[in-house]
Amino acid sequence: MTFRASVLDRAGGTFDVREFERPEVPRDGALIRVEYTGVCATDLHIMLGHIPGYEYPSTLGHEVCGVVEEVGADFGGDVRGVPVSAGARVAVMPATPCGHCTACKAGSRYPDCENWDVVGFSNPDARPAGGGWGQYVLVNRRARLFVSEAPAVNVVLAEPASTPVEGLIRAGFRFGDSVLVQGTGTVGLLAIAAAAFGGASTVAAIGGPARRLEIARELGASTTVDIAGMRDPEARKAAVMAASPNGRGFDHVIECAGVPSTIPEGLGYLTRGGCYVELGHFSDVGPVEINPYHHILSRDARLVSSSGYTPDSFARAMTLVERLGDKARDLVTHVLPLERVGDAVSALQPANGWTLDGVEVGKIVIDPWKA
């Protein structure tokens, strides 16, 4: 029996759909029939060759939601102790440390594992069912799965939601804190939802365009500022600060835009002792100039970042996206087949205006069974 998967041949290359033999399921493995897999800016950087040392060819797709088709007798349960059985819908946490190398044994919350097992960045010749842009994903006993009864459109958002959830945890976010989010892409919108769900007293957002700002308000932002409609920095600062508690700034500012100029501006929105959370710069898009005294020390500011997440934050993100209910459908704008993976990734490039098929891009997902 065969299955289909999309393969990127090289940096700057093309995506082609290839057929592979469906793998046998070992006693400690599980075979997942992929339902949806998200398209992420990381996938764009891999296509463009921006990740040093990345090996091609590759089957991408790390935001995986699917249904367990077959499970080995020794696989066990999910991260939360729920049994993993055939027919269960699961989200896949893509990166799993080995637990045995020096970095893992050191017990850091953020291990720098020497032997990561990663779904969504796989050479199909060595691991044909290793990425979510294929009809099946085979995982081993190390894999971190999360069983959910929520619809697939919600569950596929668990991985991108994990980054802002982890960022808020690292920032020390508490019930009643105020939050400003810079950027209203998928991660920014999920940051708004996470802050509101966690009990923020005030949530504000800077971003655009209009449709995304409407979703931001639906997810909990009480104030939204359209970056395109308020280009003057002083006017924008006045509007944003007016939305903060007593006009004194925000406890947490979360950068999700990936634009260097947002950083000094965002630091200026912090209240004294506030925390700036950097999530948006997943690639090198250039330096930014800040004044250490003005932006950081004089404010007693804290800076944290997150390039990943833990099983704990993934589990909390799963709770978040399950609670989104029908609002999850507002975030997903396109569901595309494997043959259109290249179109999906290219739509994320600024030169293409973040539109696809005449529709503004939100979260694009791949349905590998879609004709």
Side-chain angles (χ1 to χ4, degrees), residues 256-321:
C256 301
V259 178
S261 61
T262 60
I263 294 176
E265 179 175 330
L267 287 165
Y269 295 135
L270 284 175
T271 190
R272 188 175 181 86
C275 185
Y276 193 78
V277 185
E278 169 52 46
L279 303 180
H281 285 77
F282 270 83
S283 66
D284 184 356
V285 293
V288 62
E289 182 176 302
I290 64 171
N291 182 310
Y293 171 77
H294 175 71
H295 290 112
I296 302 174
L297 191 139
S298 66
R299 299 173 180 274
D300 278 326
R302 294 181 298 119
L303 282 73
V304 300
S305 65
S306 175
S307 62
Y309 39 77
T310 66
D312 174 68
S313 54
F314 200 107
R316 293 171 189 270
M318 179 63 79
T319 301
L320 171 65
V321 299

Side-chain angles (χ1 to χ4, degrees), residues 229-263:
M230 196 171 288
R231 291 292 187 185
D232 179 66
E234 292 304 316
R236 187 165 61 243
K237 181 177 180 179
V240 173
M241 290 299 287
S244 68
N246 301 313
R248 297 174 65 87
F250 294 85
D251 296 311
H252 307 282
V253 176
I254 308 176
E255 194 283 304
C256 301
V259 178
S261 61
T262 60
I263 294 176

Side-chain angles (χ1 to χ4, degrees), residues 326-346:
D326 291 341
K327 292 185 176 69
R329 299 183 183 279
D330 294 334
L331 275 71
V332 176
T333 57
H334 297 76
V335 179
L336 301 179
L338 287 175
E339 286 77 8
R340 298 200 64 194
V341 161
D343 294 339
V345 177
S346 295

Side-chain angles (χ1 to χ4, degrees), residues 3 5-7 18 20-23 29-32 57-61 64 75 92-96 115-132 134 136-145:
F3 73 98
S6 177
V7 177
R18 292 171 49 185
F20 300 91
E21 289 293 323
R22 200 183 91 162
L31 187 67
I32 299 166
S58 184
T59 295
L60 307 183
V64 181
F75 184 80
V92 181
M93 185 170 168
T96 308
N115 304 292
W116 288 103
D117 181 69
V118 185
V119 169
F121 306 92
S122 303
N123 185 322
D125 297 323
R127 186 179 182 179
Y136 287 101
V137 167
L138 179 66
V139 298
N140 57 39
R141 191 174 188 174
R142 287 167 53 184
R144 293 160 167 174
L145 305 184

Side-chain angles (χ1 to χ4, degrees), residues 46-201:
I46 291 171
M47 183 192 78
L48 295 175
H50 291 171
I51 309 298
Y54 192 87
E55 295 184 6
Y56 303 86
S58 184
T59 295
L60 307 183
H62 59 278
E63 301 176 0
V64 181
C65 165
V67 172
V68 177
E69 183 149 309
E70 186 178 343
V71 60
D74 297 335
F75 184 80
D78 78 349
V79 170
R80 295 176 288 190
V82 179
V84 174
S85 57
R89 175 170 287 135
V90 295
V92 181
M93 185 170 168
T96 308
C98 69
H100 303 293
C101 69
T102 300
C104 285
K105 287 180 178 179
S108 169
R109 177 177 169 85
Y110 318 115
D112 186 18
C113 180
E114 299 168 12
N115 304 292
W116 288 103
D117 181 69
V118 185
V119 169
F121 306 92
S122 303
N123 185 322
D125 297 323
R127 186 179 182 179
W133 294 353
Q135 293 175 317
Y136 287 101
V137 167
L138 179 66
V139 298
N140 57 39
R141 191 174 188 174
R142 287 167 53 184
R144 293 160 167 174
L145 305 184
F146 296 78
V147 174
S148 177
E149 296 182 358
V153 71
N154 293 67
V155 177
V156 75
L157 296 173
E159 196 279 341
S162 298
T163 296
V165 168
E166 176 69 23
L168 284 168
I169 291 171
R170 296 188 190 190
F173 170 79
R174 299 180 300 172
F175 186 91
D177 284 354
S178 57
V179 176
L180 170 67
V181 177
Q182 296 176 283
T184 50
T186 299
V187 172
L189 291 172
L190 290 169
I192 291 166
F197 180 68
S201 61

